[in-house]
Amino acid sequence: MVESRCGILCSKCKYRVNCAGCLHIEKPFWGDSCPVKSCCEDKNLNHCGECANFPCDLLNQFAYNKEEGDNGKRIEHCKQWAAAK
């Protein structure tokens, strides 16, 4: 089940109480916009795993960010969601 645009598992997010997930919100709770969310929406994609450029530099930046990244777990989730479709 797709939980986000970038592959984050919203069901396991510690901020879930403040956020319905990027599939259900206009603007992220942490800023004015999310470039990954915007990219997917501009391309009419449910998540990054559906993109011909997957995984792109932008998604890799998010996945491997030292402070907020998850060492590529979200990329694996997108792969799983794409394969399940």
Side-chain angles (χ1 to χ4, degrees):
M1 175 186 203
V2 176
E3 293 191 36
S4 67
R5 304 286 185 199
C6 71
I8 284 178
L9 296 181
C10 296
S11 60
K12 300 194 187 284
C13 179
K14 64 183 176 184
Y15 300 108
R16 183 178 169 111
V17 293
N18 297 323
C19 179
C22 64
L23 298 172
H24 308 288
I25 59 173
E26 293 291 319
K27 180 178 132 174
F29 68 91
W30 47 265
D32 289 330
S33 67
C34 171
V36 175
K37 175 180 170 28
S38 297
C39 182
C40 283
E41 291 173 354
D42 289 347
K43 294 177 179 179
N44 290 321
L45 302 174
N46 292 310
H47 59 84
C48 293
E50 298 176 338
C51 185
N53 276 341
F54 174 78
C56 68
D57 289 341
L58 178 62
L59 183 60
N60 279 319
Q61 282 179 323
F62 273 74
Y64 295 103
N65 177 287
K66 289 179 184 176
E67 292 177 16
E68 300 294 327
D70 58 12
N71 291 318
K73 289 179 187 172
R74 70 187 75 197
I75 292 172
E76 292 304 314
H77 297 145
C78 285
K79 286 179 186 177
Q80 291 168 6
W81 297 340
K85 189 173 181 180

